[in-house]
Amino acid sequence: MKEAYENLLTRRSVRAYRQQQVPREVLAQIVEAGRYAPSGMGRQPCVFVVVQDRQTRDLLSRLNAAVMGTDSDPFYGAPAVIVVLADRTVPTYLYDGALAMGNLMNAAHALGVDSCWIHRAKEVMDSPEGRALKEQWGLGEQYEGIGNCILGYTAAPAAPAKPRREGNVIWG
């Protein structure tokens, strides 16, 4: 119990990765944790696309950078990414997808893998190139990009946690 709690308090977003690939069996465990995230009415609207091949990873990175108007790597060199999409016909899809992203990142940390949530999955997946990827993955237009969970092993020590903001807990 204490270990799970400590995991939640010590996870950090990593923004510099080594090229060492995360083993497939570890990625499978991370994805399984995402699949077990709570969802409204148990509908489970999320789909998890695990990308390890360099060509697709780099395409996703370029498309994401284009949304920002830059040519830098928004995936910070991470060798793996899990694209979380959710069926937008489900009323709670956005919240369900956010919970799935949280489970992915917390599970990764528990398994010794570093991560970061990279936004702009919605814009990328709604672009012509993103729609082509969804079609390639067998997903219909109802699937909206929620987030990109980049995964790998840090190239630098993680920074300590910033102090928590005061005044954001109200006991009623």
Side-chain angles (χ1 to χ4, degrees):
M1 177 82 148
K2 183 178 178 187
E3 188 176 315
Y5 183 73
E6 286 299 314
N7 187 65
L8 294 171
L9 299 184
T10 59
R11 194 207 72 79
R12 298 287 169 271
S13 293
V14 170
R15 294 179 179 86
Y17 293 85
R18 292 181 279 146
Q19 288 306 297
Q20 178 185 352
Q21 190 55 260
V22 179
R24 187 180 181 100
E25 59 273 10
V26 176
L27 284 173
Q29 290 179 289
I30 294 168
V31 170
E32 192 68 359
R35 294 180 66 232
Y36 272 84
S39 63
M41 305 284 297
R43 289 187 181 110
Q44 303 176 37
C46 295
V47 171
F48 305 86
V49 180
V50 182
V51 177
Q52 287 187 281
D53 78 276
R54 190 68 187 196
Q55 185 178 358
T56 305
R57 179 256 182 241
D58 288 352
L59 172 62
L60 289 168
S61 175
R62 280 193 306 278
L63 294 172
N64 196 295
V67 173
M68 292 190 304
T70 184
D71 60 359
S72 64
D73 176 15
F75 293 168
Y76 303 105
V81 59
I82 300 173
V83 183
V84 176
L85 302 102
D87 182 343
R88 65 181 110 205
T89 67
V90 173
T92 57
Y93 80 98
L94 190 57
Y95 312 109
D96 299 338
L99 282 167
M101 285 289 295
N103 268 28
L104 293 173
M105 292 183 295
N106 286 319
H109 180 58
L111 295 168
V113 177
D114 297 297
S115 67
C116 189
W117 180 330
I118 305 300
H119 292 280
R120 296 169 297 280
K122 177 186 183 336
E123 295 86 349
V124 168
M125 289 297 118
D126 284 345
S127 73
E129 298 91 343
R131 286 194 297 276
L133 283 169
K134 285 194 294 188
E135 184 177 324
Q136 176 185 324
W137 297 331
L139 300 174
E141 278 299 312
Q142 77 272 24
Y143 283 94
E144 180 174 303
I146 303 298
N148 301 288
C149 181
I150 59 171
L151 298 159
Y153 300 101
T154 188
K162 293 179 182 177
R164 299 294 93 179
R165 183 172 61 89
E166 293 294 323
N168 65 347
V169 177
I170 301 168
W171 296 84

